[in-house]
Amino acid sequence: MAQIAKLGVLDDADDGITRETKLRVWWTCYLVDTWASGGSGLPRQFDILNLAPRLPMDEEVFSTMRPGDPDVLACEWKPGFWGYNVRMATIYNHITNLTKRIINSIVWDEEAIEDAVRELAVELTAFEESLPITMRYSLSNLTLQVERGLGRNFIALHLGFNHYATLLYYQYLDRNRPLTTNGVAYAQRCKHHATLFSEILQASRNHGGAEALYNIVGHVTVVSSSVLLHSFLFGDPDEVDDIRQRLESNFESLVQLRKYWPSVDLMVCASPLNPFLSA
């Protein structure tokens, strides 16, 4: 419907708010299409290789616009959290394409796989470095964004980034995989991003105005927890207490989410963490 309505095509008759609202709806559909196709294997419906519209603008600038105001000048435009989410989703699409290629391969070319992972790792690093200083993750920046009314946007961006990175390196947790040049380092990166995901999720609960309460958080929290559980079982014994605390924190988030999303209740009841944490 968004494509039929041509929401991504600029209309000179639209004022600034109407134009930006149309763009945000269009890009929201693009994001949902990207996430849904990645999780379900269904073909994507949005092709942004041709005639991709402008990314969503800075949220704070958008919030100050009034009906009838003209669009922002090109020299004053800058992307906001939603715009950076769109850029990050493109990397996620590359990660899911690599995963599908590996799954569908009869024989795994470990060298080719590692080369592809290395290229995507460079993309993730470049994306993180492209973020403005105030958008990079830190507790002080979280406080700043909460004060600006953008705490939830800030948390969503960094939960997404660390989840995507976890997915990229997840395969290297397999202890039966043959040794590769960077395999051990990539396994450590997977654990690092899963740990950081858990810390960010906990911070979102502890800061008013930064809660992560959308449905997909349940799924990505389970992914993070599976990596933490792997570290608990096979990692450094000195880290067991810290890992258990992070697992408990993740479980608290799942319990919180099930108040809003009935589907998360199944994750809580069926989760292997349930008896593990109560032991």
Side-chain angles (χ1 to χ4, degrees), residues 203-230:
S204 76
R205 296 200 314 272
N206 295 336
H207 284 70
E211 302 86 350
L213 299 176
Y214 45 98
N215 181 268
I216 194 63
V217 172
H219 166 73
V220 296
T221 299
V222 170
V223 174
S224 167
S225 298
S226 70
V227 178
L228 293 174
L229 186 56
H230 181 279

PDB file of all heavy atoms in Angstrom, residues 203-230:
ATOM      1  N   ALA A 203      19.925  -1.226  31.294  1.00  0.00           N
ATOM      2  CA  ALA A 203      19.925   0.235  31.427  1.00  0.00           C
ATOM      3  C   ALA A 203      18.601   0.825  30.983  1.00  0.00           C
ATOM      4  O   ALA A 203      18.108   1.803  31.555  1.00  0.00           O
ATOM      5  CB  ALA A 203      21.074   0.836  30.625  1.00  0.00           C
ATOM      6  N   SER A 204      17.981   0.219  29.970  1.00  0.00           N
ATOM      7  CA  SER A 204      16.703   0.731  29.483  1.00  0.00           C
ATOM      8  C   SER A 204      15.604   0.581  30.527  1.00  0.00           C
ATOM      9  O   SER A 204      14.672   1.388  30.579  1.00  0.00           O
ATOM     10  CB  SER A 204      16.297  -0.003  28.194  1.00  0.00           C
ATOM     11  OG  SER A 204      15.812  -1.312  28.461  1.00  0.00           O
ATOM     12  N   ARG A 205      15.709  -0.464  31.359  1.00  0.00           N
ATOM     13  CA  ARG A 205      14.725  -0.654  32.421  1.00  0.00           C
ATOM     14  C   ARG A 205      14.955   0.309  33.579  1.00  0.00           C
ATOM     15  O   ARG A 205      14.018   0.681  34.286  1.00  0.00           O
ATOM     16  CB  ARG A 205      14.766  -2.092  32.964  1.00  0.00           C
ATOM     17  CG  ARG A 205      14.382  -3.159  31.968  1.00  0.00           C
ATOM     18  CD  ARG A 205      13.978  -4.456  32.694  1.00  0.00           C
ATOM     19  NE  ARG A 205      14.908  -4.822  33.751  1.00  0.00           N
ATOM     20  CZ  ARG A 205      15.993  -5.562  33.572  1.00  0.00           C
ATOM     21  NH1 ARG A 205      16.302  -6.007  32.365  1.00  0.00           N
ATOM     22  NH2 ARG A 205      16.777  -5.870  34.592  1.00  0.00           N
ATOM     23  N   ASN A 206      16.202   0.691  33.775  1.00  0.00           N
ATOM     24  CA  ASN A 206      16.541   1.516  34.936  1.00  0.00           C
ATOM     25  C   ASN A 206      16.397   3.007  34.689  1.00  0.00           C
ATOM     26  O   ASN A 206      16.488   3.797  35.627  1.00  0.00           O
ATOM     27  CB  ASN A 206      17.981   1.219  35.374  1.00  0.00           C
ATOM     28  CG  ASN A 206      18.153  -0.208  35.866  1.00  0.00           C
ATOM     29  OD1 ASN A 206      17.187  -0.833  36.298  1.00  0.00           O
ATOM     30  ND2 ASN A 206      19.363  -0.733  35.799  1.00  0.00           N
ATOM     31  N   HIS A 207      16.193   3.406  33.431  1.00  0.00           N
ATOM     32  CA  HIS A 207      16.034   4.820  33.100  1.00  0.00           C
ATOM     33  C   HIS A 207      14.603   5.064  32.613  1.00  0.00           C
ATOM     34  O   HIS A 207      14.189   4.490  31.609  1.00  0.00           O
ATOM     35  CB  HIS A 207      17.006   5.242  31.993  1.00  0.00           C
ATOM     36  CG  HIS A 207      18.415   5.424  32.461  1.00  0.00           C
ATOM     37  ND1 HIS A 207      19.214   4.371  32.846  1.00  0.00           N
ATOM     38  CD2 HIS A 207      19.163   6.550  32.635  1.00  0.00           C
ATOM     39  CE1 HIS A 207      20.405   4.840  33.211  1.00  0.00           C
ATOM     40  NE2 HIS A 207      20.396   6.150  33.095  1.00  0.00           N
ATOM     41  N   GLY A 208      13.868   5.876  33.325  1.00  0.00           N
ATOM     42  CA  GLY A 208      12.548   6.253  32.838  1.00  0.00           C
ATOM     43  C   GLY A 208      12.668   6.976  31.508  1.00  0.00           C
ATOM     44  O   GLY A 208      13.565   7.796  31.310  1.00  0.00           O
ATOM     45  N   GLY A 209      11.783   6.629  30.578  1.00  0.00           N
ATOM     46  CA  GLY A 209      11.834   7.253  29.263  1.00  0.00           C
ATOM     47  C   GLY A 209      12.754   6.549  28.298  1.00  0.00           C
ATOM     48  O   GLY A 209      13.028   7.063  27.210  1.00  0.00           O
ATOM     49  N   ALA A 210      13.239   5.359  28.666  1.00  0.00           N
ATOM     50  CA  ALA A 210      14.140   4.616  27.776  1.00  0.00           C
ATOM     51  C   ALA A 210      13.723   3.157  27.641  1.00  0.00           C
ATOM     52  O   ALA A 210      14.485   2.335  27.141  1.00  0.00           O
ATOM     53  CB  ALA A 210      15.577   4.701  28.283  1.00  0.00           C
ATOM     54  N   GLU A 211      12.525   2.809  28.077  1.00  0.00           N
ATOM     55  CA  GLU A 211      12.087   1.414  28.097  1.00  0.00           C
ATOM     56  C   GLU A 211      12.007   0.834  26.680  1.00  0.00           C
ATOM     57  O   GLU A 211      11.539   1.485  25.755  1.00  0.00           O
ATOM     58  CB  GLU A 211      10.721   1.289  28.773  1.00  0.00           C
ATOM     59  CG  GLU A 211      10.670   1.820  30.195  1.00  0.00           C
ATOM     60  CD  GLU A 211      10.390   3.316  30.258  1.00  0.00           C
ATOM     61  OE1 GLU A 211      10.421   3.962  29.196  1.00  0.00           O
ATOM     62  OE2 GLU A 211      10.140   3.822  31.366  1.00  0.00           O
ATOM     63  N   ALA A 212      12.467  -0.406  26.534  1.00  0.00           N
ATOM     64  CA  ALA A 212      12.376  -1.131  25.261  1.00  0.00           C
ATOM     65  C   ALA A 212      11.234  -2.130  25.374  1.00  0.00           C
ATOM     66  O   ALA A 212      11.428  -3.246  25.872  1.00  0.00           O
ATOM     67  CB  ALA A 212      13.694  -1.832  24.952  1.00  0.00           C
ATOM     68  N   LEU A 213      10.055  -1.744  24.935  1.00  0.00           N
ATOM     69  CA  LEU A 213       8.856  -2.554  25.172  1.00  0.00           C
ATOM     70  C   LEU A 213       8.196  -3.047  23.885  1.00  0.00           C
ATOM     71  O   LEU A 213       7.065  -3.509  23.926  1.00  0.00           O
ATOM     72  CB  LEU A 213       7.839  -1.737  25.995  1.00  0.00           C
ATOM     73  CG  LEU A 213       8.306  -1.286  27.381  1.00  0.00           C
ATOM     74  CD1 LEU A 213       7.253  -0.420  28.048  1.00  0.00           C
ATOM     75  CD2 LEU A 213       8.637  -2.494  28.254  1.00  0.00           C
ATOM     76  N   TYR A 214       8.887  -2.967  22.763  1.00  0.00           N
ATOM     77  CA  TYR A 214       8.303  -3.463  21.518  1.00  0.00           C
ATOM     78  C   TYR A 214       8.528  -4.974  21.416  1.00  0.00           C
ATOM     79  O   TYR A 214       9.452  -5.535  22.013  1.00  0.00           O
ATOM     80  CB  TYR A 214       8.863  -2.720  20.308  1.00  0.00           C
ATOM     81  CG  TYR A 214      10.352  -2.528  20.294  1.00  0.00           C
ATOM     82  CD1 TYR A 214      11.183  -3.390  19.573  1.00  0.00           C
ATOM     83  CD2 TYR A 214      10.956  -1.479  20.999  1.00  0.00           C
ATOM     84  CE1 TYR A 214      12.556  -3.221  19.559  1.00  0.00           C
ATOM     85  CE2 TYR A 214      12.325  -1.297  20.986  1.00  0.00           C
ATOM     86  CZ  TYR A 214      13.118  -2.173  20.270  1.00  0.00           C
ATOM     87  OH  TYR A 214      14.487  -2.005  20.272  1.00  0.00           O
ATOM     88  N   ASN A 215       7.692  -5.629  20.636  1.00  0.00           N
ATOM     89  CA  ASN A 215       7.602  -7.088  20.648  1.00  0.00           C
ATOM     90  C   ASN A 215       8.901  -7.806  20.321  1.00  0.00           C
ATOM     91  O   ASN A 215       9.273  -8.781  20.987  1.00  0.00           O
ATOM     92  CB  ASN A 215       6.502  -7.538  19.673  1.00  0.00           C
ATOM     93  CG  ASN A 215       6.343  -9.042  19.644  1.00  0.00           C
ATOM     94  OD1 ASN A 215       6.955  -9.724  18.841  1.00  0.00           O
ATOM     95  ND2 ASN A 215       5.510  -9.551  20.533  1.00  0.00           N
ATOM     96  N   ILE A 216       9.634  -7.339  19.313  1.00  0.00           N
ATOM     97  CA  ILE A 216      10.809  -8.065  18.843  1.00  0.00           C
ATOM     98  C   ILE A 216      11.904  -8.138  19.905  1.00  0.00           C
ATOM     99  O   ILE A 216      12.810  -8.982  19.821  1.00  0.00           O
ATOM    100  CB  ILE A 216      11.356  -7.412  17.550  1.00  0.00           C
ATOM    101  CG1 ILE A 216      12.368  -8.322  16.846  1.00  0.00           C
ATOM    102  CG2 ILE A 216      11.980  -6.062  17.864  1.00  0.00           C
ATOM    103  CD1 ILE A 216      11.791  -9.632  16.376  1.00  0.00           C
ATOM    104  N   VAL A 217      11.833  -7.285  20.931  1.00  0.00           N
ATOM    105  CA  VAL A 217      12.833  -7.328  21.998  1.00  0.00           C
ATOM    106  C   VAL A 217      12.840  -8.700  22.658  1.00  0.00           C
ATOM    107  O   VAL A 217      13.890  -9.181  23.101  1.00  0.00           O
ATOM    108  CB  VAL A 217      12.571  -6.218  23.046  1.00  0.00           C
ATOM    109  CG1 VAL A 217      13.487  -6.375  24.258  1.00  0.00           C
ATOM    110  CG2 VAL A 217      12.782  -4.848  22.422  1.00  0.00           C
ATOM    111  N   GLY A 218      11.688  -9.356  22.729  1.00  0.00           N
ATOM    112  CA  GLY A 218      11.635 -10.694  23.317  1.00  0.00           C
ATOM    113  C   GLY A 218      12.513 -11.667  22.562  1.00  0.00           C
ATOM    114  O   GLY A 218      13.324 -12.405  23.157  1.00  0.00           O
ATOM    115  N   HIS A 219      12.406 -11.665  21.238  1.00  0.00           N
ATOM    116  CA  HIS A 219      13.197 -12.593  20.419  1.00  0.00           C
ATOM    117  C   HIS A 219      14.690 -12.316  20.544  1.00  0.00           C
ATOM    118  O   HIS A 219      15.491 -13.239  20.786  1.00  0.00           O
ATOM    119  CB  HIS A 219      12.775 -12.483  18.952  1.00  0.00           C
ATOM    120  CG  HIS A 219      13.717 -13.136  17.992  1.00  0.00           C
ATOM    121  ND1 HIS A 219      13.825 -14.502  17.869  1.00  0.00           N
ATOM    122  CD2 HIS A 219      14.628 -12.600  17.130  1.00  0.00           C
ATOM    123  CE1 HIS A 219      14.753 -14.802  16.966  1.00  0.00           C
ATOM    124  NE2 HIS A 219      15.248 -13.664  16.507  1.00  0.00           N
ATOM    125  N   VAL A 220      15.083 -11.047  20.406  1.00  0.00           N
ATOM    126  CA  VAL A 220      16.513 -10.743  20.414  1.00  0.00           C
ATOM    127  C   VAL A 220      17.114 -10.938  21.804  1.00  0.00           C
ATOM    128  O   VAL A 220      18.312 -11.228  21.934  1.00  0.00           O
ATOM    129  CB  VAL A 220      16.777  -9.311  19.889  1.00  0.00           C
ATOM    130  CG1 VAL A 220      16.366  -9.201  18.428  1.00  0.00           C
ATOM    131  CG2 VAL A 220      16.056  -8.255  20.699  1.00  0.00           C
ATOM    132  N   THR A 221      16.295 -10.812  22.844  1.00  0.00           N
ATOM    133  CA  THR A 221      16.784 -11.086  24.198  1.00  0.00           C
ATOM    134  C   THR A 221      17.092 -12.572  24.373  1.00  0.00           C
ATOM    135  O   THR A 221      18.071 -12.949  25.033  1.00  0.00           O
ATOM    136  CB  THR A 221      15.756 -10.634  25.248  1.00  0.00           C
ATOM    137  OG1 THR A 221      15.541  -9.227  25.119  1.00  0.00           O
ATOM    138  CG2 THR A 221      16.230 -10.926  26.661  1.00  0.00           C
ATOM    139  N   VAL A 222      16.273 -13.418  23.783  1.00  0.00           N
ATOM    140  CA  VAL A 222      16.531 -14.867  23.836  1.00  0.00           C
ATOM    141  C   VAL A 222      17.828 -15.203  23.104  1.00  0.00           C
ATOM    142  O   VAL A 222      18.621 -16.046  23.558  1.00  0.00           O
ATOM    143  CB  VAL A 222      15.344 -15.647  23.237  1.00  0.00           C
ATOM    144  CG1 VAL A 222      15.702 -17.124  23.055  1.00  0.00           C
ATOM    145  CG2 VAL A 222      14.119 -15.517  24.129  1.00  0.00           C
ATOM    146  N   VAL A 223      18.080 -14.535  21.979  1.00  0.00           N
ATOM    147  CA  VAL A 223      19.337 -14.761  21.247  1.00  0.00           C
ATOM    148  C   VAL A 223      20.528 -14.365  22.110  1.00  0.00           C
ATOM    149  O   VAL A 223      21.511 -15.111  22.229  1.00  0.00           O
ATOM    150  CB  VAL A 223      19.347 -13.964  19.921  1.00  0.00           C
ATOM    151  CG1 VAL A 223      20.718 -14.083  19.247  1.00  0.00           C
ATOM    152  CG2 VAL A 223      18.265 -14.466  18.985  1.00  0.00           C
ATOM    153  N   SER A 224      20.452 -13.191  22.728  1.00  0.00           N
ATOM    154  CA  SER A 224      21.520 -12.754  23.629  1.00  0.00           C
ATOM    155  C   SER A 224      21.716 -13.759  24.765  1.00  0.00           C
ATOM    156  O   SER A 224      22.852 -14.114  25.113  1.00  0.00           O
ATOM    157  CB  SER A 224      21.189 -11.373  24.206  1.00  0.00           C
ATOM    158  OG  SER A 224      22.023 -11.044  25.300  1.00  0.00           O
ATOM    159  N   SER A 225      20.616 -14.231  25.318  1.00  0.00           N
ATOM    160  CA  SER A 225      20.692 -15.166  26.444  1.00  0.00           C
ATOM    161  C   SER A 225      21.332 -16.492  26.043  1.00  0.00           C
ATOM    162  O   SER A 225      22.039 -17.118  26.842  1.00  0.00           O
ATOM    163  CB  SER A 225      19.290 -15.412  27.010  1.00  0.00           C
ATOM    164  OG  SER A 225      18.729 -14.208  27.511  1.00  0.00           O
ATOM    165  N   SER A 226      21.094 -16.923  24.812  1.00  0.00           N
ATOM    166  CA  SER A 226      21.687 -18.191  24.369  1.00  0.00           C
ATOM    167  C   SER A 226      23.211 -18.079  24.306  1.00  0.00           C
ATOM    168  O   SER A 226      23.926 -19.041  24.619  1.00  0.00           O
ATOM    169  CB  SER A 226      21.123 -18.591  23.001  1.00  0.00           C
ATOM    170  OG  SER A 226      21.591 -17.741  21.969  1.00  0.00           O
ATOM    171  N   VAL A 227      23.708 -16.900  23.925  1.00  0.00           N
ATOM    172  CA  VAL A 227      25.156 -16.699  23.896  1.00  0.00           C
ATOM    173  C   VAL A 227      25.702 -16.661  25.320  1.00  0.00           C
ATOM    174  O   VAL A 227      26.745 -17.259  25.626  1.00  0.00           O
ATOM    175  CB  VAL A 227      25.511 -15.394  23.154  1.00  0.00           C
ATOM    176  CG1 VAL A 227      27.026 -15.160  23.182  1.00  0.00           C
ATOM    177  CG2 VAL A 227      25.010 -15.442  21.720  1.00  0.00           C
ATOM    178  N   LEU A 228      24.993 -15.967  26.210  1.00  0.00           N
ATOM    179  CA  LEU A 228      25.425 -15.908  27.608  1.00  0.00           C
ATOM    180  C   LEU A 228      25.425 -17.297  28.243  1.00  0.00           C
ATOM    181  O   LEU A 228      26.325 -17.638  29.025  1.00  0.00           O
ATOM    182  CB  LEU A 228      24.500 -14.971  28.394  1.00  0.00           C
ATOM    183  CG  LEU A 228      24.554 -13.492  28.014  1.00  0.00           C
ATOM    184  CD1 LEU A 228      23.476 -12.714  28.768  1.00  0.00           C
ATOM    185  CD2 LEU A 228      25.929 -12.908  28.303  1.00  0.00           C
ATOM    186  N   LEU A 229      24.416 -18.094  27.912  1.00  0.00           N
ATOM    187  CA  LEU A 229      24.346 -19.448  28.452  1.00  0.00           C
ATOM    188  C   LEU A 229      25.515 -20.293  27.943  1.00  0.00           C
ATOM    189  O   LEU A 229      26.088 -21.102  28.691  1.00  0.00           O
ATOM    190  CB  LEU A 229      23.015 -20.086  28.060  1.00  0.00           C
ATOM    191  CG  LEU A 229      22.709 -21.456  28.668  1.00  0.00           C
ATOM    192  CD1 LEU A 229      22.765 -21.411  30.193  1.00  0.00           C
ATOM    193  CD2 LEU A 229      21.332 -21.937  28.208  1.00  0.00           C
ATOM    194  N   HIS A 230      25.894 -20.103  26.679  1.00  0.00           N
ATOM    195  CA  HIS A 230      27.056 -20.791  26.126  1.00  0.00           C
ATOM    196  C   HIS A 230      28.313 -20.411  26.911  1.00  0.00           C
ATOM    197  O   HIS A 230      29.132 -21.279  27.259  1.00  0.00           O
ATOM    198  CB  HIS A 230      27.221 -20.417  24.644  1.00  0.00           C
ATOM    199  CG  HIS A 230      28.376 -21.095  23.961  1.00  0.00           C
ATOM    200  ND1 HIS A 230      29.681 -20.643  24.087  1.00  0.00           N
ATOM    201  CD2 HIS A 230      28.426 -22.185  23.141  1.00  0.00           C
ATOM    202  CE1 HIS A 230      30.480 -21.426  23.383  1.00  0.00           C
ATOM    203  NE2 HIS A 230      29.757 -22.373  22.806  1.00  0.00           N
TER     204      HIS A 230
END
